[in-house]
Amino acid sequence: MKTEIVLNEGKVYRKIGGGLFVVPVLFLLLPIYFLAQFKRDILPNVKALGLYLQMNPGMILVALFEVVSIIALFYLLVSSIIFFFKKKVKFPKIMVCLLGYYSLFLIVDYFLFNLFANYATPEIAETFNAPYRKVIYRSLIISAILIPYLLVSKRVKGTFIK
């Protein structure tokens, strides 16, 4: 027999539903997205790291920041997936941390890279930065929608109560 969770309004939440259906879809799409981003954005930068270091040794700070942040993001992602499917009460907090940390990571990485990068012209800088800004804006929009939902929604509170 499944346990039923009853809120004050008399609504019963036996399983994940409502806006929470977005979360498993995101979990399924995130690995594909990260692999595509790795191939498109990170791998070329790893191959060019020697050139970056020759141009500016400060780029090693950017590389270290990215490695540490990617490990932390991976930990948060795996934790949130586990907590989601086990319906743990920690899930909303971990997911909020994941969304917030990812957006913060993108912003800090953008500014660090531009701090140490020596672009030849402003046009070259814009060519490199425009796609990255789109990723930042997308993450901020997703965070602005999902974070309040995870913190306020009665469906979330009723589903992740144990």
Side-chain angles (χ1 to χ4, degrees), residues 72-113:
L73 284 168
F74 180 76
Y75 172 76
L76 287 170
L77 178 62
V78 170
S79 298
S80 61
I81 290 171
I82 291 168
F83 291 155
F84 178 81
F85 288 109
K86 288 188 172 187
K87 296 183 186 175
K88 297 286 184 179
V89 73
K90 292 180 184 179
F91 168 75
K93 293 175 186 169
I94 293 291
M95 191 66 187
V96 166
C97 289
L98 174 65
L99 292 167
Y101 188 74
Y102 181 63
S103 295
L104 183 65
F105 161 72
L106 291 174
I107 293 167
V108 172
D109 189 47
Y110 174 82
F111 284 112
L112 278 177
F113 191 83

Side-chain angles (χ1 to χ4, degrees), residues 1-5 83 86-92 156-162:
M1 184 171 150
K2 294 184 178 183
T3 48
E4 297 177 353
I5 299 165
F83 291 155
K86 288 188 172 187
K87 296 183 186 175
K88 297 286 184 179
V89 73
K90 292 180 184 179
F91 168 75
V156 172
K157 289 177 184 171
T159 303
F160 300 100
I161 200 156
K162 291 183 183 181

Side-chain angles (χ1 to χ4, degrees), residues 19-121:
L20 286 174
F21 278 123
V22 173
V23 176
V25 171
L26 285 174
F27 285 150
L28 294 173
L29 294 177
L30 274 175
I32 297 168
Y33 173 75
F34 283 134
L35 286 175
Q37 186 179 12
F38 180 79
K39 184 178 179 190
R40 184 187 69 234
D41 298 333
I42 297 171
L43 196 56
N45 286 337
V46 170
K47 290 179 181 176
L49 185 60
L51 179 62
Y52 290 145
L53 292 175
Q54 286 176 358
M55 291 170 35
N56 188 341
M59 290 300 283
I60 194 72
L61 294 173
V62 177
L64 287 172
F65 171 74
E66 288 177 349
V67 167
V68 169
S69 294
I70 288 171
I71 291 169
L73 284 168
F74 180 76
Y75 172 76
L76 287 170
L77 178 62
V78 170
S79 298
S80 61
I81 290 171
I82 291 168
F83 291 155
F84 178 81
F85 288 109
K86 288 188 172 187
K87 296 183 186 175
K88 297 286 184 179
V89 73
K90 292 180 184 179
F91 168 75
K93 293 175 186 169
I94 293 291
M95 191 66 187
V96 166
C97 289
L98 174 65
L99 292 167
Y101 188 74
Y102 181 63
S103 295
L104 183 65
F105 161 72
L106 291 174
I107 293 167
V108 172
D109 189 47
Y110 174 82
F111 284 112
L112 278 177
F113 191 83
N114 281 296
L115 178 68
F116 292 111
N118 295 323
Y119 296 114
T121 66

